Each structure stands twice: as C-alpha cells, then as structure tokens.
Amino acid sequence: MELKLKKPIAFFDLEATGINVSSDRIIEICVLKINPDHTEETFVSRVNPQMPISKEAIEITGIKDEDLKDCPTFAEIAPRLNKFLENCDFGGFNSNKFDIPMLAEEFLRANIDFDMRKRHSVDVQVIYHKLEQRNLTAAYKFYCNKDLTEAHTAMADTKATYEVLKAQLDKYPNDIENDIEKLATFSNQTNCVDFAGRIIYNEKGEEIINFGKYKGVKVEDVFKKEPGYYAWVMNGDFPLYTKKVLTALKLRGAAFNK
C-alpha cells in the first residue's frame, strides 16, 4: 500500500561513532525522500566526525576512522541536507529515540535551527514493537519476506524501513491508518517535550521537569523559584535540543509576563 502524503516524508538512517546523542557524532547518513506524487529522492553521505569511532560502532557498521578522513564534516553538508529536508515529515526505525535526536544535535552544533514542532515523525520500530515486537531484520523478513543482507548499512536499513512501513499498512488496515499524522501519533510512545526526556508534559499538557530535585515541577514554577536554574542548564552537559526547548519556554514565559 502506498503512503497517502500531504507533504514529503524523509525516511533516514544514521550511523554514528557511538550511541550517546550528546557526545557522539554522525559518520554516515542516508535519506530517502518520498514526495506526495511518490517520486523518490536520495541524499547519501559519509561524514568525518572529527573524533574516533568506538570499537562497538566499528564492529556494527564496518566503518573505520581511516575510511572517513577525506569525507566532509557535518557542518559542511548541513546546509545542503537542511535544504533537502525542508518541509518534510520524518520516518525511521528507532528514529524517535536515536536518529532524530542525533540529527537535531548535529544541526544545532552547525548553527542551523532544528524544530520538530511542524513535522510529524513516524517510528516504524514502535509500530512493529506494538504489533509484533522484533528488530528490523526480522521485520523485513516478516512483512516483506525478504532477507536484509546488508543490515547496518545506511542505505539498506533506510530502504527496508520504508518498505516495512508500506507492508504494515497492508497487514494492519484495521489498526493503523494511512495518514502520516495518525501514524506519527501511533508510533510515539512518549510525552517528551525534548528528545532526551528531561522535560515532559504532565496530564494537563503542562511542561514539567523530569529529573533532579525539581522532578515533577512545572518549568515556569522552577524559573520563578530558582532564577539561576536556566543558566545552570545552559552551562551544563545537556543536549543542545534540551537547551533549545528550555530557552523557548523561558522566552514564552517572559512574553506572557510582560
């Protein structure tokens, strides 16, 4: 079943130096953009992370430090990638927990604004785990009856993710609807405001702190009680996207109190 699209959706997969969203870096990115008329465009690039690749990442991806020494840095490809992703929703496999947060950090590090508020994100892994609970290789075999022979290469994983989502729509017509916004809602397991889950929504839809001594306290109340809290986060080892979200909440509060 082909996706019903109101705007492009970009399926993408990242390989990185490790799994720490804040400190690790992208080493390979592949994007498969599906336009509303179902034409396809791709963006593929290896990236010089300017830091060593972890042993675990080398074992999984097969990409070594020397393979990337002549590749562009993320900052060098960022403007072109940002343009390619303009006005796109996102799709991926475990993308809500890893790929999107990692991409956001890299864009913000390159001084390019990244905002998910106008995008939907469909995480095919979440749909799969809710309905079948397996990994991408098993999902590809189960839904598409194909072997994922080049698993953990960005292009193979990206194409497999796109094919699995289309097959899921065929298999579960009574459980999931062919609508990106509704697929995004179905595949979202969290109530996070930022990717790291440091700020979440409470049952009233209010932003609250989700860690430390102010866990469970509304952000606006924390700002009132401890004016230095914002500066502490800005100077701390927090993800750039968390800082971006907190800054937006602080500015919103300042505008509201004028």
Side-chain angles (χ1 to χ4, degrees), residues 93-111:
F93 199 89
N94 194 34
S95 50
N96 286 347
K97 288 186 177 180
F98 180 74
D99 299 271
I100 292 175
M102 175 71 76
L103 184 64
E105 290 298 295
E106 290 280 32
F107 269 132
L108 292 172
R109 204 175 286 121
N111 295 315

Side-chain angles (χ1 to χ4, degrees), residues 144-198:
C144 305
N145 196 28
K146 299 177 183 178
D147 294 318
L148 187 53
T149 56
E150 297 182 39
H152 296 301
T153 62
M155 178 59 80
D157 288 357
T158 300
K159 286 187 173 181
T161 297
Y162 173 48
E163 289 184 37
V164 167
L165 177 58
K166 292 194 293 181
Q168 286 174 331
L169 289 168
D170 287 325
K171 187 172 181 63
Y172 308 112
N174 297 322
D175 298 302
I176 54 177
E177 188 172 339
N178 194 345
D179 178 271
I180 294 301
E181 182 175 355
K182 292 178 180 178
L183 287 170
T185 299
F186 188 86
S187 63
N188 185 6
Q189 289 184 307
T190 72
N191 60 341
C192 296
V193 183
D194 67 328
F195 296 127
R198 299 287 189 171

